Structure formats: C-alpha cells, structure tokens
Amino acid sequence: MNQKNPNAQSRRNFVKTSSLLTGGLLAAPFLSSANYFSGADDVIKIALIGCGGRGTGAAVQALSTKQNVRLVAMADAFKDRLESSLQNINEAMEGKKDRVQVKEENKFTGFDAYKKAIAMADVVILTTPPGFRPIHFEEAVNQNKQIFMEKPVATDPNGIQRVLKAAEIAKAKKLNVVVGLQRRYQNSYRELIKRVHDGAIGDIVSAQAWWNNDGVWVHPRQPGWTEMEYQMRNWYYFVWLCGDHITEQHIHNLDVINWAMEGYPVMAQGMGGREVRKGKDYGQIFDHHFVEFHYGNGAILNSQCRHIKGTMSKVDELLIGTKGKVFCDEARITDNKGKTLYQFDKKTDNQPYQNEHDELFAAVANGEFKFWDAERGAKSSMTSILGRMCTYSGQMIEWDKAINSGINIMPEKYDFAATPPVLPNADGLYLVAVPGVTKYV
Ligand SMILES: NC(=O)c1ccc[n+]([C@@H]2O[C@H](COP(=O)([O-])OP(=O)(O)OC[C@H]3O[C@@H](n4cnc5c(N)ncnc54)[C@H](O)[C@@H]3O)[C@@H](O)[C@H]2O)c1
C-alpha cells in the first residue's frame, strides 16, 4: 500500500494494471520483461530520446526530482550530440552522479535508436525536433511507458491525428503524459487562468499573443554531409522537421489562449513572409506571421510572431473580457478601467520546467494516473499549424478542414542517404511558400 495516498496503487501494480487495460488496444510485449518486475527496488528508469539542448535540460530536471530515478538509456540521431549531452548531464548532476547510469551498450544512434532506448525505461523523455514526435510518441505508448514529451507534438495534420489516436490509447492504458507547455505547470499562470475560469474578467471577447524576438542558430553546411544530414542538423529551418517558428515557439502563447478559452479556434486567416531571413542558410521558414484566430464564441485572437533582429521583443499574452483584462507576463488582472483586481507576486513563482518533472515523477512513483496532456498538446500544436497554413496560403481556413486534411509533409524514408521532402535548387535555395500561390501547407 502506498503510504502517501491509500487510494493509489503501488507503481508496480499500477503498471501491471495498466497492462491489463491494454488488451485489444495495442500489443504490449515488453510488459513481461524485466523492466518492471525485476528486483524489489523502486528505481524509476529514464530514457532520453533527442539529446539536444532541451533534452539535456529535461533529463537533468527528471534526475533532480525527489524520486529514486536513474538515466539508463539515451538515443540521438547523431553520436556527437548524444556524447555532449551525456557530458553536460554528468556535469549538471555533480554530487548525484549515481543517477546517471548510461552504459555504453545503452547509447543508441540513428533513426531507429528511439525504439531501443524506449524499451529500457519506465519513463521516456521525447525531445527531438517535433516532426518525429508522432512516431516516437506512438512507440512509447505502444511500449506502455510514462511520457514527458516536448511541444510541438507534430508538424502536420497527419501527425496531429496520429498523436490524438495514440493519446486516446495512452489514456485507456492510464499512462501519464506531460507535454512541455510549461506555462501549464507555472503557478502564476495557473492562478491567472483559474480566475479567468471563475469569471474574473467576464466573457473573453478578444486576445493578443506575441512571440517576437531575434531567432535561432544556423549550422553551416559541412563537407561530407548528405542533404538529409544537413536538414537534420538545421532542423529549425525545414517545415517537415520544425513546423516553422509559429509552431515551434509561438505555440506556447497560443496554448495559453486556448487554455483560457477552454477551446480551440474554429477558423483563421493571416499573413506572413520572409523579410530579412532569406538566404540559403535559412531553409524554408518565414521570419514573421500574423494570424487572426476565430473562436466559436465569436472571440478573436490576434497573434504575432517574428524573428527579426533589431525589432521590438515581446513574449506575452493578453486576454480581454467583458469585465476586465489579464496581462499574463505581469501576472495581473485588472478591471476595464485599469484597476488591479489581482496581482500574483512573481518573486514567488515556481520553476515550471522543474515542476513538470516533479509532478510527473511524483505521480509515477505513487502509481497515480494524473496527466493526459497529449490531446490538448496536439490541439494547441494544430492551432499553430492552422496559423501556418493560413500565412503560407493567404486563405481563411477552417479548423475542421485543416485537421482532417490528411496533409502529411514527412519523408517516406528515414535514412541519411534518403531524399528529404524538399531539396535546394541550383542556387542552394529551398521552396518557400508564396501567399496566393501556395495551396494550404
Ligand atoms: N518547452 C520549451 O520551452 C522548449 C525549449 C526548447 C526546446 N523545446 C522543444 O524541444 C525540442 C528539441 O529542441 P532543442 O532546442 O533541444 O533542439 P536541439 O537541436 O538542441 O536537440 C534536438 C536533438 O534531437 C536529435 N534528433 C533529431 N532527430 C532525431 C531522431 N529522429 N531521433 C533521435 N534524435 C534525433 C538531434 O540530433 C538533437 O540532438 C523541440 O521540439 C523544441 O520545440 C521546448
């Protein structure tokens, strides 16, 4: 019996019960394996899939929880990324190095690496570029793992549908799934949105969201790289891997609005393009998007994201209701005359990246099923994809049409010698969407 929560099952029984629920859903061959049933210790084994900046951070956060955790396996497309991540994790875990136990044979590289690493763990951390998330999430659910996965959870409507389907299965199996939309795990946001849902600003009539800043890294092409390797190393600039920056970053702000609205847009239209980031180092993505999202209750969200140096920086959300406003970054609620109704003391705010893991691992250790973020993660990812479809095409597009479009922009084959979905022309430039000409994607 769990001492902290008499209603909770022990972790081992929890996983066992979860396995019974899997009958008829997905095969679960690993469940009779040693992972959960060997030995009497309560070690929670972790596998990291995607050993870059975020994956390294997430692994350290998972290893810094109160539970008896071990990092046992790592997977990355590239060996150099895996090794530098492991070094960084070891350095960050100075003093608790016994938690990092990745044997040489449990380091996996290449496109298939994820399957082997997932098999070794109780909890998996999925932090590759988002194009791969549906494949990796499906596999983790298939293998009955507890899951932390980063946002966005896909880059196209087909990927969203795959995640939604696997999310249902994860729920039926009672697998906890936390998605890295960390504002959902941040106290200031939780307090603000709770008050919105309790009616503090009346009915929401409109909203604004911003992710405006400078942009990200470029990895210059190296001799010997295939085109697939070039795109994988520079994933940010390719739509199949990244989704464009509206999907990769602005999703955070769009998700806050969806959370407050308790729903998703029914249609959208917008504009965007490449103003300064135009050269062959910048693949296909735009450097700015401005989208008007329409919600079912008539509310409109005006959303903007920009990657242009020397312009106004702002990452924030504003909600406007019949009785007041919420200024998210200030963590303040006012009435419509500007009088403060509520102020969260930001000095007391928690670390949301750490809290995601604290809450997830506590649930796993206690045998509780508490988190099913995958559906909302998928629908907020879809919100950002819908926005991209609008800015690329210049059309008004309905949610239902977009999410059911079946659009699949991923490659047919995953191999460093395979052809990626987009190739450079003779000048080294890639196909970039042209509003009014580009259809849909
Ligand atoms: N929640 C947040 O605030 C936040 C912050 C940063 C990044 N992220 C998200 O985390 C994800 C990763 O971003 P990052 O900044 O760590 O990128 P990164 O480039 O630093 O790391 C990605 C890693 O995944 C590896 N990889 C690529 N394809 C793979 C595959 N098929 N199998 C295994 N490994 C593969 C890459 O080699 C690389 O090491 C993205 O989805 C990003 O949006 C979230």
Side-chain angles (χ1 to χ4, degrees):
M1 174 76 69
N2 184 300
Q3 298 300 313
K4 291 181 213 146
N5 178 358
N7 294 322
Q9 310 160 56
S10 76
R11 184 169 64 85
R12 198 171 303 165
N13 283 339
F14 167 57
V15 176
K16 220 182 236 170
T17 313
S18 298
S19 78
L20 296 176
L21 290 165
T22 64
L25 287 167
L26 283 180
F30 84 100
L31 279 167
S32 58
S33 83
N35 267 351
Y36 289 103
F37 302 109
S38 66
D41 64 41
D42 224 5
V43 170
I44 303 176
K45 295 176 188 162
I46 302 168
L48 170 62
I49 322 299
C51 312
R54 184 76 271 275
T56 304
V60 170
Q61 279 134 12
L63 293 172
S64 303
T65 59
K66 286 188 190 143
Q67 280 65 42
N68 196 8
V69 284
R70 301 283 181 278
L71 180 66
V72 298
M74 294 171 76
D76 199 280
F78 301 110
K79 183 148 179 59
D80 58 298
R81 299 301 309 261
L82 188 155
E83 293 297 346
S84 64
S85 170
L86 182 55
Q87 190 180 336
N88 289 336
I89 293 169
N90 268 315
E91 281 168 19
M93 294 308 296
E94 189 62 49
K96 277 192 177 173
K97 271 202 179 134
D98 56 316
R99 293 189 161 203
V100 187
Q101 294 188 1
V102 186
K103 293 184 186 143
E104 212 46 46
E105 63 268 29
N106 297 339
K107 297 176 182 173
F108 304 101
T109 53
F111 283 101
D112 281 340
Y114 68 102
K115 286 188 190 163
K116 297 170 203 149
I118 287 172
M120 311 216 49
D122 303 318
V123 180
V124 298
I125 296 175
L126 306 180
T127 45
T128 64
F132 294 107
R133 202 89 69 242
I135 303 168
H136 295 176
F137 179 56
E138 277 175 356
E139 180 69 19
V141 173
N142 220 349
Q143 292 199 30
N144 300 288
K145 306 302 179 177
Q146 315 284 327
I147 297 163
F148 171 82
M149 66 172 162
E150 262 307 339
K151 46 43 68 173
V153 303
T155 56
D156 62 15
N158 182 58
I160 295 291
Q161 294 287 8
R162 288 175 70 166
V163 170
L164 286 172
K165 206 165 156 198
E168 281 304 307
I169 297 166
K171 208 170 181 180
K173 289 181 172 185
K174 300 196 177 193
L175 302 172
N176 288 290
V177 181
V178 166
V179 171
L181 290 161
Q182 68 271 12
R183 287 158 179 76
R184 301 255 188 178
Y185 291 82
Q186 186 168 351
N187 291 341
S188 54
Y189 274 91
R190 285 176 166 179
E191 291 301 322
L192 292 173
I193 303 296
K194 186 171 74 187
R195 282 168 176 75
V196 170
H197 292 164
D198 288 346
I201 61 165
D203 296 329
I204 300 172
V205 291
S206 72
Q208 284 179 249
W210 302 263
W211 192 297
N212 293 340
N213 61 13
D214 285 0
V216 302
W217 42 260
V218 166
H219 297 300
R221 196 183 286 272
Q222 300 298 316
W225 281 1
T226 61
E227 181 60 27
M228 183 66 98
E229 176 159 4
Y230 173 75
Q231 295 192 15
M232 289 282 287
R233 297 269 187 192
N234 284 280
W235 63 267
Y236 208 98
Y237 299 101
F238 294 93
V239 184
W240 67 277
L241 284 159
C242 164
D244 205 318
H245 67 106
I246 186 172
T247 294
E248 204 277 334
Q249 284 180 320
H250 194 37
I251 181 177
H252 284 297
N253 318 105
L254 301 176
D255 180 61
V256 169
I257 307 298
N258 290 340
W259 180 15
M261 298 291 301
E262 298 181 276
Y264 302 90
V266 292
M267 60 186 172
Q269 72 88 22
M271 58 182 74
R274 279 156 80 100
E275 199 55 48
V276 298
R277 208 167 47 181
K278 297 173 181 218
K280 57 185 177 185
D281 286 344
Y282 303 112
Q284 315 175 267
I285 68 171
F286 282 5
D287 58 21
H288 63 283
H289 303 254
F290 196 112
V291 185
E292 175 189 288
F293 290 98
H294 297 245
Y295 288 78
N297 65 355
I300 291 177
L301 159 63
N302 287 304
S303 112
Q304 52 181 286
C305 55
R306 179 173 57 201
H307 276 185
I308 298 182
K309 283 190 184 122
T311 59
M312 179 197 78
S313 280
K314 186 174 171 87
V315 177
D316 198 1
E317 308 86 21
L318 169 69
L319 293 156
I320 302 174
T322 48
K323 292 194 206 155
K325 294 179 181 165
V326 182
F327 299 85
C328 290
D329 188 49
E330 290 177 39
R332 188 160 65 100
I333 301 180
T334 68
D335 67 14
N336 273 333
K337 292 195 173 132
K339 184 180 151 213
T340 298
L341 301 175
Y342 173 76
Q343 174 71 64
F344 181 91
D345 181 0
K346 287 186 74 177
K347 289 194 291 298
T348 66
D349 215 350
N350 63 343
Q351 292 288 341
Y353 290 105
Q354 184 59 51
N355 193 37
E356 289 170 335
H357 292 272
D358 288 347
E359 294 194 9
L360 171 63
F361 280 83
V364 172
N366 291 336
E368 294 171 329
F369 174 52
K370 284 179 75 173
F371 301 103
W372 48 89
D373 296 1
E375 181 187 333
R376 71 183 189 212
K379 290 189 175 166
S380 283
S381 300
M382 185 62 220
T383 306
S384 68
I385 292 168
L386 173 66
R388 182 190 78 220
M389 290 166 79
C390 295
T391 60
Y392 279 12
S393 65
Q395 305 300 327
M396 172 75 87
I397 302 177
E398 289 164 11
W399 171 279
D400 286 346
K401 212 168 162 192
I403 196 169
N404 296 317
S405 63
I407 289 172
N408 176 358
I409 59 172
M410 297 299 288
E412 280 172 17
K413 197 171 167 203
Y414 297 99
D415 189 294
F416 285 111
T419 308
V422 62
L423 291 172
N425 67 16
D427 297 324
L429 296 166
Y430 294 86
L431 189 68
V432 176
V434 179
V437 176
T438 300
K439 303 273 176 244
Y440 242 39
V441 185

